[in-house]
Amino acid sequence: MHRGWLGPGGRSRGPGRGGWQQADLPGADDAAAWLQGRLPDGWFVGAPEVTIDREEILIVGALPPLEGEFPDTEAGRADRAAAVAGRISRFRETTRDERIEIARQAEHRYQRKVAWGARLDDTVELFTVASVPVMTRLRQPERIVLDTLVDSGVARSRSDALAWAVRLVGQHADEWLGELREAMAKVDELRAKGPTGEGT
């Protein structure tokens, strides 16, 4: 199970539940195990990746590989890409009703929205993931950075530019973010223990 924001390669970003801001949320440490028992057999190859943050549980599973051979030519690669897109689309449509029911149960249990995705080969497609507005105050130099990204066509809006910047930080600060998550988890453990008075 992954806790926090999803990063490159399916790695998590951020402390997940933690005691810092979301002490009122139910724990979701067992979400991956619950989903493994709840999901129908045959949907995915192996256990799905489960990523959790304060608003959402994202479930991404690997689909069975395609059958048949595709030549390593431009036409063959195009055919393979089309076959992958078709297979993911078929999974999305044929599992829709059951995914809705599983999501309803998980949302009731964990008090978070549930989103789905599928992986086939190197293609990952996410279905209706949450886009959560984030309130922030930026000074003019920071706004100029976002406006530069917009004006250059890198992003369509300031919010897109901010999301792009967050992804970039995640890609280039993986080790530091991992250490930060570990430190926050340690603080949560110490907070949960509380002062016992022993040894004082």
Side-chain angles (χ1 to χ4, degrees):
M1 179 187 74
H2 302 285
R3 300 179 61 194
W5 300 291
L6 185 65
R11 293 186 293 252
S12 60
R13 306 287 182 196
R17 178 194 173 203
W20 296 73
Q21 299 177 356
Q22 294 298 113
D24 56 331
L25 276 178
D29 290 340
D30 66 343
W34 184 85
L35 287 162
Q36 187 174 353
R38 179 62 182 83
L39 292 175
D41 296 334
W43 270 18
F44 302 128
V45 177
E49 293 180 356
V50 179
T51 307
I52 300 168
D53 67 9
R54 291 172 295 175
E55 290 85 17
E56 186 178 40
I57 297 175
L58 175 62
I59 307 160
V60 179
L63 301 182
L66 294 171
E67 297 179 358
E69 297 293 332
F70 296 88
D72 189 16
T73 63
E74 183 175 349
R77 289 189 291 270
D79 286 345
R80 185 177 187 84
V84 167
R87 173 66 62 83
I88 293 176
S89 178
R90 183 179 73 180
F91 170 81
R92 183 176 185 177
E93 294 301 323
T94 58
T95 62
R96 185 186 304 276
D97 291 343
E98 196 159 6
R99 284 189 294 106
I100 289 173
E101 176 59 22
I102 294 171
R104 185 190 64 79
Q105 295 173 10
E107 287 170 3
H108 177 76
R109 181 181 178 95
Y110 298 109
Q111 299 300 301
R112 294 164 172 85
K113 291 295 184 182
V114 173
W116 299 85
R119 173 181 285 104
L120 184 54
D121 294 341
D122 296 328
T123 301
V124 178
E125 184 174 335
L126 305 181
F127 312 149
T128 59
V129 293
S131 180
V132 180
V134 178
M135 300 301 295
T136 186
R137 296 181 183 273
L138 298 177
R139 298 182 183 276
Q140 188 181 54
E142 297 159 339
R143 296 196 303 271
I144 290 174
V145 171
L146 299 183
D147 290 340
T148 299
L149 294 173
V150 173
D151 294 341
S152 65
V154 172
R156 292 174 297 177
S157 64
R158 282 181 172 178
S159 61
D160 282 347
L162 187 58
W164 182 88
V166 169
R167 288 194 299 270
L168 188 65
V169 170
Q171 292 171 4
H172 294 283
D174 186 62
E175 183 177 355
W176 178 80
L177 288 172
E179 293 175 355
L180 182 62
R181 288 195 298 271
E182 291 175 4
M184 294 176 70
K186 184 63 176 179
V187 171
D188 285 343
E189 292 174 5
L190 294 173
R191 182 184 288 111
K193 291 180 180 178
T196 61
E198 297 178 2
T200 61

